């Protein structure tokens, strides 16, 4: 009760007086240190579900209070200074994640009510707290990113298992999807920061290896969560949870693509000097190779193209559905009683006041519209991010890779571009040394042939149809107006003039 009162006081205090008071008198530090003492009770509750649940209620209240504190910049800084994340990393209960595969073999309902649910009640507040700190501190805050990466590294086995995503994808279980969405959210915000590591430091080398594994696992999720007809049909079969599950899947895809975009952008301001996160293969787009839970192919250019195709189709459909819902909301006052009852989810034979039915219908319709708006927003942002990744990688492979530089230009225009690039290199702008730059010469010819086949007029026309709706959703947030149009124009020029 005391923690709940503090939570409410901090919510009402816009000047952060309460947070300063709690920090100055050591209350924040005390609450953080007490989490370690709660660990034994949480472990006991996870192993013996019928034990006293008081420990988890107090634990949730503490994390809820710290999440409230983390909503202000001052509060987030104070939490980091009080060593919140190192203390959270000490909680041994995080490493005791029940095996969802074994639970599914027994009974899927056990996922919703058994040990995994109790575990999620302990893990989710931690992930949301870290997400709140990262969001409040803003992109590029190295201190918060370092602490988060170290937290992930301490419990690498657990988070590596979650990031595999195969069980979440195959079962489409709401709890497992939510777990994956939260982990990818904090990974996308933290694991893209360039943390300076000493090559001779053992801990530094180990952490660097963990970051590499995170990158591989994050990119593999893009292959597993393609918005295919099969996946959308499976989500629709979830009944009332369909919209919520679809949004969770879209958040996972958005987290992965924003992670990849941040990783590429942070490594250099042009395609010559950038980290490469996908291989120069268009196999998936050319042959429509299978995607899903069992697919283990590394991320490639073809996967990006395939993702754009699925997302553009979904975005067009979602935008159309949103317009229909908004029209229905505007005409709600003239809807017949039977239609209102259907929208409200009540039995038409129930003798409810007409006003009550209308208000309930309006409330439910507003909630559906809000979900659909989020659907459109996430889809638009993801299309923009993937288009950017596609352009950056295609430009690097066609113009700046070793294979491209050792091949003979086939047109005068390509020869001119080659001379311009070489003159810049002589001026002191060398090539980036990337592990994927040195693919064999034979692959550059195959890539050029596949680009002609896959990135044709139909592909660019489809992408051009959604430019306006994408930029309407993203121009006030992740990018400026005209960004996607410029990306499409540059990619099309590459496909036409450099293949």
């Amino acid at each position: 009760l005391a923690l709940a009162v503090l939570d409410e006081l901090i919510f009402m205090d816009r000047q952060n007086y309460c947070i300063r008071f709690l920090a100055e008198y050591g209350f924040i530090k005390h609450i953080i240190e007490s989490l370690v003492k709660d660990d034994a009770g949480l472990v006991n509750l996870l192993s013996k579900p019928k034990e006293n649940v008081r420990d988890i209620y107090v634990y949730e209240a503490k994390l809820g209070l710290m999440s409230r504190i983390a909503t202000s910049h001052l509060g987030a800084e104070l939490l980091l200074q009080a060593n919140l994340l190192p203390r959270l990393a000490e909680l041994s209960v995080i490493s005791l994640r029940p095996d969802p595969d074994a639970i599914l073999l027994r009974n899927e309902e056990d996922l919703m009510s058994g040990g995994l649910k109790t575990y999620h009640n302990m893990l989710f507040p931690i992930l949301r707290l870290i997400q709140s700190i990262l969001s409040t501190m803003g992109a590029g805050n190295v201190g918060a990113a370092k602490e988060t990466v170290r937290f992930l590294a301490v419990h690498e086995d657990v988070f590596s298992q979650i990031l595999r995503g195969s069980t979440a994808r195959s079962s489409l279980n709401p709890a497992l999807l939510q777990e994956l969405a939260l982990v990818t959210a904090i990974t996308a915000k933290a694991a893209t920061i360039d943390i300076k590591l000493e090559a001779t430091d053992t801990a530094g080398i180990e952490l660097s290896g963990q970051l590499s594994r995170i990158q591989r696992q994050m990119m593999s999720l893009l292959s597993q969560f393609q918005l295919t007809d099969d996946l959308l049909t499976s989500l629709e079969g979830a009944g009332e949870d369909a919209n919520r599950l679809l949004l969770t899947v879209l958040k996972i895809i958005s987290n992965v693509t924003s992670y990849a975009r941040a990783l590429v952008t942070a490594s250099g301001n042009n395609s010559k000097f950038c980290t490469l996160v996908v291989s120069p293969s268009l196999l998936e787009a050319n042959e429509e190779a299978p995607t899903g839970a069992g697919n283990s192919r590394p991320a490639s250019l073809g996967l990006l193209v395939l993702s754009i195709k699925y997302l553009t189709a979904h975005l067009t459909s979602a935008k159309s559905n949103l317009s229909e819902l908004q029209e229905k909301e505007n005409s709600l006052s003239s809807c017949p009683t039977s239609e209102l009852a259907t929208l409200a989810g009540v039995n038409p034979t129930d003798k409810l006041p007409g006003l009550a039915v209308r208000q309930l219908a309006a409330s439910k319709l507003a909630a559906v519209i809000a979900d659909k708006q989020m659907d459109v927003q996430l889809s638009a942002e993801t299309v923009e991010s993937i288009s950017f990744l596609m352009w950056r990688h295609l430009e690097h492979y066609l113009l700046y890779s070793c294979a491209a530089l050792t091949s003979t230009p086939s047109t005068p225009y390509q020869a001119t571009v080659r001379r311009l690039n070489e003159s810049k290199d002589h001026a002191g702008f060398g090539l980036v040394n990337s592990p994927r730059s040195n693919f064999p010469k034979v692959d550059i010819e195959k890539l050029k042939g596949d680009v002609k086949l896959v990135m044709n007029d139909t592909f660019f026309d489809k992408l051009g149809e959604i430019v306006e709706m994408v930029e309407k959703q993203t121009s006030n947030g992740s990018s400026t107006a005209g960004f996607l149009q410029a990306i499409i124009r540059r990619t099309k020029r590459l496909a036409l003039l450099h293949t």
Side-chain angles (χ1 to χ4, degrees):
L1 181 59
L3 293 170
V5 171
L6 283 174
D7 191 320
E8 191 64 26
L9 285 173
I10 293 171
F11 172 71
M12 295 186 295
D13 178 21
R14 303 302 181 187
Q15 303 300 320
N16 292 327
Y17 294 127
C18 289
I19 293 177
R20 289 190 178 93
F21 177 85
L22 292 173
E24 288 173 6
Y25 286 88
F27 292 114
I28 290 179
K29 184 76 172 177
H30 172 74
I31 294 172
I32 290 174
E33 295 297 334
S34 70
L35 288 172
V36 180
K37 298 178 182 178
D38 296 336
D39 188 42
L42 297 175
V43 171
N44 192 42
L45 182 62
L46 194 60
S47 58
K48 302 175 183 177
K50 295 183 180 180
E51 291 291 316
N52 192 342
V53 296
R54 177 185 175 277
D55 289 328
I56 194 168
Y57 286 141
V58 174
Y59 163 82
E60 288 177 342
K62 290 177 181 178
L63 290 184
L65 174 62
M66 285 185 282
S67 295
R68 180 72 69 188
I69 293 173
T71 55
S72 71
H73 194 276
L74 172 65
E77 283 186 337
L78 290 171
L79 290 173
L80 291 173
Q81 290 172 11
N83 295 320
L84 170 64
L85 292 179
R87 294 290 83 77
L88 290 175
E90 292 177 18
L91 297 179
S92 61
V93 71
I94 297 176
S95 299
L96 301 179
R97 179 176 182 260
D99 183 6
D101 289 316
I103 296 173
L104 284 170
L105 286 175
R106 294 197 306 266
N107 187 357
E108 188 169 356
E109 292 183 0
D110 289 345
L111 278 175
M112 309 300 293
S113 59
L116 189 62
K117 181 181 179 181
T118 304
Y119 177 80
H120 284 162
N121 289 339
M122 301 171 185
L123 179 67
F124 286 3
I126 292 177
L127 299 179
R128 292 189 178 105
L129 173 57
I130 296 174
Q131 188 178 11
S132 179
I133 291 173
L134 292 171
S135 298
T136 301
M137 298 302 290
N141 188 284
V142 178
K146 280 184 178 180
E147 297 290 349
T148 303
V149 170
R150 291 192 179 106
F151 169 80
L152 295 173
V154 170
H155 300 283
E156 181 193 7
D157 291 343
V158 170
F159 292 113
S160 178
Q161 186 181 34
I162 293 172
L163 285 175
R164 288 191 189 106
S166 55
T167 306
R169 172 61 182 87
S170 59
S171 67
L172 295 178
N173 180 270
L176 294 178
L177 289 174
Q178 182 64 27
E179 179 185 57
L180 182 58
L182 288 169
V183 174
T184 54
I186 65 172
T187 302
K189 286 183 170 67
T192 57
I193 302 297
D194 182 19
I195 301 175
K196 303 300 181 183
L197 302 169
E198 292 293 334
T200 57
D201 180 40
T202 304
I205 294 173
E206 184 178 350
L207 189 58
S208 179
Q210 289 164 348
L211 288 174
S212 297
R213 282 192 290 274
I214 287 174
Q215 178 181 324
R216 289 194 300 271
Q217 289 183 313
M218 286 286 283
M219 295 309 300
S220 71
L221 291 174
L222 189 60
S223 175
Q224 295 186 55
F225 289 91
Q226 291 287 311
L227 290 182
T228 60
D229 291 338
D230 289 342
L231 175 57
L232 293 175
T233 301
S234 298
L235 293 174
E236 289 171 2
E240 294 181 356
D241 291 335
N243 288 336
R244 183 164 58 91
L245 289 179
L246 175 59
L247 286 178
T248 306
V249 169
L250 286 171
K251 286 176 184 176
I252 293 170
I253 299 172
S254 177
N255 291 337
V256 171
T257 54
S258 64
Y259 165 83
R261 180 175 178 176
L263 204 63
V264 171
T265 303
S267 62
N269 58 5
N270 58 49
S271 300
K272 183 187 294 188
F273 306 99
C274 72
T275 297
L276 303 175
V277 296
V278 299
S279 65
S281 168
L282 284 166
L283 179 65
E284 283 87 348
N286 196 10
E287 299 180 359
E288 294 192 356
T291 59
N295 184 40
S296 59
R297 291 176 182 270
S300 65
L301 264 174
L303 186 63
L304 298 182
V305 173
L306 199 61
S307 298
I308 288 177
K309 289 181 178 180
Y310 288 133
L311 281 163
T312 51
H314 176 73
L315 178 57
T316 303
S317 174
K319 185 64 176 177
S320 175
N321 292 338
L322 176 60
S323 299
E324 292 175 3
L325 289 169
Q326 289 171 332
E327 290 176 5
K328 185 176 291 185
E329 185 181 39
N330 294 332
S331 61
L332 203 60
S333 58
S334 60
C335 285
T337 305
S338 58
E339 188 173 347
L340 288 174
T342 302
L343 289 173
V346 299
N347 194 327
T349 60
D350 293 342
K351 296 181 179 179
L352 295 175
L355 180 60
V357 174
R358 191 177 301 278
Q359 290 175 340
L360 185 58
S363 175
K364 291 201 171 186
L365 187 58
V368 174
I369 289 174
D371 286 345
K372 190 59 66 175
Q373 287 174 332
M374 179 61 69
D375 183 339
V376 172
Q377 179 73 27
L378 289 170
S379 300
E381 292 175 353
T382 305
V383 166
E384 184 184 85
S385 293
I386 295 180
S387 298
F388 171 80
L389 291 170
M390 178 181 66
W391 161 66
R392 268 285 176 94
H393 284 80
L394 187 65
E395 185 173 72
H396 177 86
Y397 286 129
L398 290 180
L399 299 185
Y400 304 120
S401 65
C402 293
L405 293 176
T406 54
S407 63
T408 303
S410 56
T411 65
Y413 177 80
Q414 293 178 17
T416 302
V417 172
R418 172 76 61 82
R419 285 196 300 272
L420 288 173
N421 289 335
E422 289 174 350
S423 65
K424 291 179 182 178
D425 292 339
H426 290 310
F429 300 98
L431 285 174
V432 64
N433 183 19
S434 168
R436 286 204 179 106
S437 305
N438 302 313
F439 63 102
K441 181 179 177 180
V442 65
D443 284 352
I444 193 71
E445 300 304 326
K446 176 170 176 50
L447 177 61
K448 288 180 178 180
D450 288 342
V451 167
K452 290 180 181 178
L453 184 64
V454 173
M455 297 185 185
N456 49 31
D457 289 340
T458 302
F459 172 75
F460 287 110
D461 288 344
K462 288 287 186 182
L463 198 51
E465 291 173 1
I466 63 165
V467 167
E468 185 177 350
M469 69 176 76
V470 169
E471 294 193 339
K472 185 177 180 181
Q473 298 293 326
T474 61
S475 60
N476 294 327
S478 61
S479 61
T480 57
F483 180 78
L484 181 59
Q485 185 66 64
I487 292 296
I488 296 174
R489 186 169 59 249
R490 293 185 180 194
T491 307
K492 190 173 185 179
R493 186 165 63 231
L494 283 170
L496 289 174
L497 300 178
H498 293 279
T499 58

